[in-house]
Amino acid sequence: MTDNVLTYMTFFPLAGMIVVLMLPSDRHNLIRWVSALFTVPPLALGVWLYGHFNTAIPGLQFVEKIPWIPAYNINYFVGIDGISISMVLLTALLSFLCIFASWGIDKGVKGYFALFLLLDTGMMGVFVALDFFLFYVFWELMLLPMYFLIGVWGGPRREYAAIKFFLYTLFGSVLMLLAILALYFTSEPHTFDMTVLIAQSGKYGTEPLAIWPFNQWGWGFQHVVWMALFIGFAIKIPAFPFHTWLPDAHVEAPTAISVILAGVLLKMGTYGILRVNFPMLPQATADLAYYFLGVLGTWNIIYGALCAMAQKDLKKLVAYSSVSHMGYVMLGMATFTPQGISGAVLQMFNHGTITAMLFLLVGVIYDRAHHRDIEGFGGLAAVMPVYTGVTALAFFASMGLPGLSGFISEVLVLLGAWQKYPILSILGASGVVLTAGYFLWTIQRVYLGPTNEKYKTLPEINGRELFTLIPLGIIVIALGVYPNAMLDLLRASLDQLNQIVIPHLP
Amino acid sequence: MELATVIFYLIAAVTVGSAAMVAFSRNIIHSAFSLLGTFAGVAAIYVFLGADFVAAVQVLIYVGGILVLILFAVMLTHRITDVRITNRAVGRIPALAVIGVFLFLLVQTIRETPWQKAKEILYSPTTAKIGDLFLGNYLLPFELASLVLLAALIGAVVISRKELKE
Amino acid sequence: MDLRNFESLKFFYPEAILTGTILLLVLLDLVLRRKEILGYIAGAGCLLSLYAAVELFGARGGWLFQHMIILDNFSLFFKVLFLLAALLVICMSLDCHELRRVHKGEYYTVLLTSTLGMFFMASSSNLLMAYLSLELVSLTSYILTGSLPHNRRSTEAALKYLIYGGVSSGTMIYGMSWVFGMTGSLDYARIGAALLQGEVNHLSLFMAFVFILAGFGYKIVFAPFHMWSPDVYQGAPTPITAFLSVASNAAGLAIMIRFFFPALSRLGENGSWLFLQGVEWPHFLLFLSMVTMTVGNLCALNQQNVKRMLAYSGIAHAGYLLMGLVVLNNDGLRAVLFYVVVYLIMNLGAFLVVMIVANATGREDLDGYHGLAWRGAAIPAVCMAIFLFSLTGLPPFAGFVGKFFLFAAVIRQGGMFVLLAVVAILNSVISLYYYARVVKTMFFDFPQPGAQEVEMTPSHAALLGFLSCLTIFLGVYWGPLAFYAEWSLRFFVR
Amino acid sequence: MDHPIQTDYLRWIVLLPLVGAAVNGLLGAVLQKRIGKWIISLFACAPVLISFLLSLQAFLDLLALKPDERFLIDRLYPWLSVGSLRVDMAFWVDPLSAVMILVVTGVGGLIHIYSTGYMREDKSYWRYFAFLNLFTCAMLLLVTADNLLLMFVGWEGVGLCSYALIGFWYHDHVNARAGNKAFIVNRVGDFGFVLGVFLVFWSLDRSGHGTLVFREIEKFSALLQGQEIWGVGVVTLVTLFLFVGATGKSAQIPLHVWLPDAMQGPTPVSALIHAATMVTAGVYMVCRLHFLFSAAPATLAVIAAIGVATALFSATIALTQTDIKRVLAYSTVSQLGYMFLAAGVAAYGAAVFHLMTHAFFKACLFLGSGSVIHAMGGEQDMRKMGGLRRSLPYTFWTFAVAVLAIAGTPLTAGFFSKDEILWQAFSSPHGSPLLWVLGVAGAGLTAFYMFRQFFLVFFGECRADHHVKAHLHESPKAMTLPLVLLAIGSIAAGWIGLPEIFGGSRFAEWLEPVFGAHHEVHASGSLEEILMALSVAVAAAGFYLAYLIYYRGRLAPERFSSLAGGLFYRLSYNKYYIDEIYQFFFVNGTLLLARIGAWIDQYIIDFIVDGSAKTTAFISWIHGLFDNHVVDWLVNKIADSTFDAGDKFRKVQTGNINSYLYVILGAVVLAIIVKLRYWS
Amino acid sequence: MAIGLTHYLVIGAILFSLGLYSVLTRRNAISILMGVELILNGANINYVAFSHYSSGNVEGQIYAIFVIMLAAAEAAIGLAIILAFFQIFHTIDVEAAETLKE
């Protein structure tokens, strides 16, 4: 069992999907409980992993490697290191919680949970895959259920949102496929094995390509491949200007799916950059990170915050806050300092938990009031005090209040950024002010002030909803007070990652 | 100028002229009958080229078969009494332009191409040779052709037969 | 191995069995009352032939019938493919409402004849055989297309197909006549040899190729010889559309590869093919490939008729397939072969769903698919989604692997081919849009009140299940198929 | 110094209030309903009082040590360790923070007790105390943190609690908005603070000593000398950044705008947070990092200038305010200005001394005003008060003491501390007579507006309506007791920091290990005496003017308010329109930017993306058009118009065989031509 | 000038072009078929001529015979389709075929 932990974590949900598909479709509760049951083992194994992960080793652990299609040197190759473990844990946790957040789905229940479990497998697979081909398969695998989950179970404009999400992501991923192939054919012997590709990173040349217009910019093979991969990942992050799918997808998706979308899917972009771009194309990373991660990340921070401020829809506001917060991740990655990059990875995890809370909370209010118009509420604090309390916790965590997890990662990112790019750090820090601005303004408009007569009788948040929120809340506080719990896992791997890139810095 | 040359040009003129009639005539009956001239002219050209058997086949099948079929079709689909049986053609000028360019290119290429030259130019009867080949080297195509004809037969039946009663 | 006529017969079992079945069908049609049995007989004939074809695996390749056709892995590969397509189409036809009024005897006879013609297309090694087999397939295709009696669409489609086919094959034989004139031979091997040593006029060779391409292109359905296909596909009975879109397309590819690759080029190092000097074959095909996929996808965008949309998507796929030919090496050909198989599975599947829906509702337009998943047809809807996403090229479906190989072949070549890859990518994204539109209509739109329930027969369900499972299976574990494709590239000639 | 004494009780000073907050916050609603408010009060007050006792213990422990070794530390666990950044969760107490924790827990404890009376009627009693305790915890964290980052946690924590308590009565949008304003303005300050933190860390890291621990920064601060960034000395920049943080938290110009609005919260909150403790955090921080500030004379000059400007500026606003708490709020801003003036002339001891005395008398004033408001049934407008000295005797007397103290009446705490500041402003190497003059002017104004308030509230005729009059009553014991204690403090606290001429300051001596030897310019004692007398005289003049106008009614206020056409009066009354200006430039500006951003997002970016999709669709449409119209059009139009004129122009359509064939032939011809042209 | 290969090829080319011209301009299905026949004849002349001048064997003639045979088959099917078309549409003008369009 312990040898194949990652395989079990990845494919348990898939087994669950098959079981769910075989259940009679009118036994809704049975389907729900079975689905929940199949997300427990990954979570339990995740906890086990957390306990048994050796923090001193920078390399891969829990590796499994089985030949898949030997003729093309494709392996089933999974493993985790400090870069991925936090994401694996996050995925396991959020998948489990989101099953409960999906309890209220009562249309096409069987399909919903089956797709959800498939999505779970896809997400987990992306974070554990170490073979590029496998990685790509999982990457795309997750698209399909997402498309359906948004498109069938989403809001009024779900079709538009679903197809927009699908098209954007597909565009990015096909571009990524080209890059993967380019790397495959450059390696010798041809391989999709990421570890080998990383080891061969020196082979990928940087002499200017003969292709117009790249030769004008003096771009080499590395740079072009880097860019192709980056666009693929940037769409997922989502980095400006590829971000416009996100508000639509978030607004239309059902609550649990928004949670997954923001909590896990966005991380795949940044994870991909760390996993692929950094070690495999260190020279290009060193050359381009400032522009495409640093500057763009900072722009994301400010732009996302400004957009969030102007939103009237609560969910859209949260969605834009994701754009803003993922900017910190990008900025952090661009620094190549231990602080910045640890902050970035930590921010990935923290944003996952915090934004999950935010979306769950928006879902709670939407279930009750059936709208999300910020101006349409008012004084909810009096009606739903517990709900308001939890919301405040999430909001404050999101705006980076010290003592909560968001602060740690943001401060690490900005601290790291200062060393390399003080101006970006200053601009990024100003995003903190904006974030406070829109969250506080939202609190004021939704929760404070005189109670809206229409909502005098809204029921307080219920036990199931609290059950999904409290673990996240605890994590948010715990990581704020004791961030080393997560930082220890990352340290060794990220230091090694930095060491790969730093020699190439100008 | 030799007689053969004169006759060749005459035949060529007939062939091309009647083909032009087929292409340009406004009356479909005229077109169909001009086709006869073309087929006959082509047959004559085959004779010139020493292909006696092909010429015979050309006359038998084209003139005896295809042309009759076409005429039947014309009759069946038009009222003969109609003085001016329409044979509508549209867009002649652009078509002429394109075809003109095309023909020019073809002829230029034909003239410039160094075609394979045969060691000897034969003027012997070909029927026996062809018969041998049909049962020798070209047995498979020959058999296949029978299948094609069978398929054509069935096809013609399928398409023109009335539908099944439910 | 260069066999004379009678010696060749023992390597001729697949064709012979098929021919026998055809004749049997003609006879039985006169005798039998229950015409449904004919379908099973045709199927049995195909199975037998398939068995015979598989038996031939591993046989030493060679020329049969005095250099008329070639027996090699490549032709066996396509024979198996055509038989599979025919089998599946026969299965589809058994329960097709559209074909109720069609004379079954003739229908199956012609269908098998067409399959036989494709056999020869894939294995011909002589210009005459190529022409004959192509015509055989064309003629039978016209018949099949027009087989719906007193049906406006079917007859109109047949007429268009006929005129197109006539012009294309006329153009092709004109081109072939030039090749004959330049080389003095009809045999591929000797043509190749003559072209390689002889003084060749580049322009006339090029023109001859362009003319010949008109004939092949019309079968493969690439631009600009594609324009008949939407009309014909829309008008033909659905099983026939499926057959044409898959088998006829593949046969065209086979004959093209057969003609251009071993005959007109020679093997260079590392499995790449060196083409004759002076013919800008890659550039030309590169351009055609781009145009084809773009035109196909753009036209498919706004189609309201699913069959017509699939026809346009077929054009786009022809463009993708050309990508494999463009690079002129074994990589590319392997990708093409692989993709053809995958395309067969997913496209037939998609047409099967179209047929199931048409059986139940009589509709082929997109509006007929409103909320299909919620109208008792969850399985066809899900399968359709699988096929369509596979056509898009998403993992874990087989279509992805196919595209992956194509991209791989192109990327590996580098240089200007990368441009082709980029165009192909953009096209994939475009294609997603219209495929997803169907999926959207099936899943995201809820049925209007009073919409018919869609039911299907168990045989269709089984077939669908088989095809969709195969689509997924080949997407996850495709090693054997890839190996088979690789193996099939061992041409006998050269 | 390098090996401070490890203790294990300091953590409880900080954590006990947190426990109280947690109990009240999580279970408060239930406890209050099931058991009663007393249990809430218990959980609220007991931790703070125990913390006070522990603080005393710490103080005594320190006292027992040699002056140079007066450090206690309590290290919990490594909090953040990434790369060269190592930050512990550690609390320390040195003489400076000892003063602070005593003030925080002492004054805080009193205010807790006071609150049990003041808030008795409130429904959300538990919530109030949860936040109050949380605040106490955060404030203690701020002052005991052994590093900058941990300090920042407390720094933000107090901001959060301030936000929550200002908007405590959230049903009114005004309160909520005031809370927001406070938080956001503070955030602007924090922005500077974190940048300062980053800069100091990396500047030290450059020489391999990256640290955020105060002691170590002090140890290595010399390394910062000579480093430059953007052409500015690092030390100057660090201190400027940090000072931005301080202006936010301590409501200095230009970030002073939030504090007056913060008066929307319950009055004890104003007393605790917005007078005694939180707002002084900036001063504390500057003093804590005095070694950096001292090394940056330019910053010091800025601080002094801003301090004195704030002192004077807000004093002028306080002159005309009519809200009882607003006057006090501006007075607080003004007094904070004095503290910064002290810090700005490197007289950190004086700053801390004033901080402490101010905590007493300002808390007393606020609580007194709270008592008045309580008695008046929530009325805060001084114009509706008057003559309250009879009905509220305790309040009156304690208020009087505090007013005397703040006005700088000799022998009160305020006198000593303010005088110390003024003397330092004059005599310190960083000081100047100008600062002194301005400071004294401010002191005069202070005396004037405080006595104005005093007279308006407690003397004359009661201007309230009869309902209110009927209900006038002295506050309960829980409220008056803290008042009395604070009043005593307002006098006595000053005695530990006597000026040189009265025997020297025990207080300065206590802080000496922190701030270093008292490098006081020993000018002739007589100069100090003269200056002291002058300042007293100015204060007395202020008092006399107020006395004339508001007590005796000899002078009509209008004589002043109508000066220059009322310009000055209106400026002062409307707070120089700063709020409006900020609203216009910053708030509206940001919102405008936000709307522009959202607009760009919705229209431009999506337009580009959709646009490319549309272009694709357009191309496909064009293609269809080409198919449907162009080819056929060419064919039909030309043909029909020339040859077949009689034939009707048929509706064009696809499915036209001829046009298809055209395409083929055209393509073939084109291919050949291209071949001829380019590759022959 | 002696009659040579080129002359025949040119005649073939002219027939081919005229056939294409018919196909392009005609609206009548039968006329289009006639055009196709012209194309085939053009090609056939080529084959026979090449057979005579280039290869010196009868392969080209055999090809021509097959072409003629297939032309017959195609004409049979073609005319059957045209008649079926006529029965439904009551015209053989291909423009009448407008059922199939996007």
Side-chain angles (χ1 to χ4, degrees), chain D residues 602-667:
Chain D
Q602 201 173 349
Y603 294 102
I604 305 287
I605 310 254
D606 256 16
F607 176 79
I608 292 168
V609 176
D610 286 352
S612 58
K614 291 221 176 73
T615 314
T616 324
F618 179 70
I619 292 170
S620 95
W621 179 72
I622 286 281
H623 183 90
L625 206 66
F626 181 75
D627 224 40
N628 287 355
H629 299 275
V630 178
V631 177
D632 289 0
W633 185 83
L634 269 176
V635 177
N636 292 339
K637 182 72 181 175
I638 298 171
D640 291 358
S641 57
T642 48
F643 293 92
D644 252 339
D647 216 332
K648 276 187 182 172
F649 180 76
R650 274 182 183 260
K651 206 182 163 197
V652 286
Q653 73 246 343
T654 47
N656 186 313
I657 299 174
N658 303 70
S659 56
Y660 290 1
L661 294 170
Y662 255 110
V663 172
I664 294 190
L665 194 71

Side-chain angles (χ1 to χ4, degrees), chain A residues 164 168 243-244 303 306 320 339 382 396 399 402 415 418 426 430 432 444 449-450 480-484 487 491, chain D residues 77-82 85 152-153 156 160 170-171 177 180 183 187 191 198 202 594 597 600-601 605-606 609:
Chain A
K164 199 171 180 183
Y168 264 81
H243 66 283
T244 55
Y303 187 82
L306 282 175
Y320 273 110
Q339 291 84 4
F396 285 119
M399 70 173 93
L415 179 70
W418 179 277
I426 291 173
S430 72
V432 175
Q444 182 202 319
V481 177
Y482 190 65
N484 276 341
L487 288 171
R491 193 167 293 121
Chain D
Y77 56 88
W79 182 40
L80 256 178
S81 41
V82 181
L85 175 71
F152 187 66
V153 175
E156 284 278 77
L160 169 72
Y170 56 81
H171 295 289
R177 223 170 278 142
N180 275 3
F183 205 125
R187 274 260 153 168
F191 168 67
F198 297 160
W202 287 114
I600 288 175
D601 216 58
I605 310 254
D606 256 16
V609 176

Side-chain angles (χ1 to χ4, degrees), chain D residues 532-551:
Chain D
M532 196 184 289
L534 273 175
S535 74
V536 170
V538 171
F543 160 74
Y544 187 64
L545 199 60
Y547 174 78
L548 282 183
I549 298 173
Y550 297 103
Y551 187 70

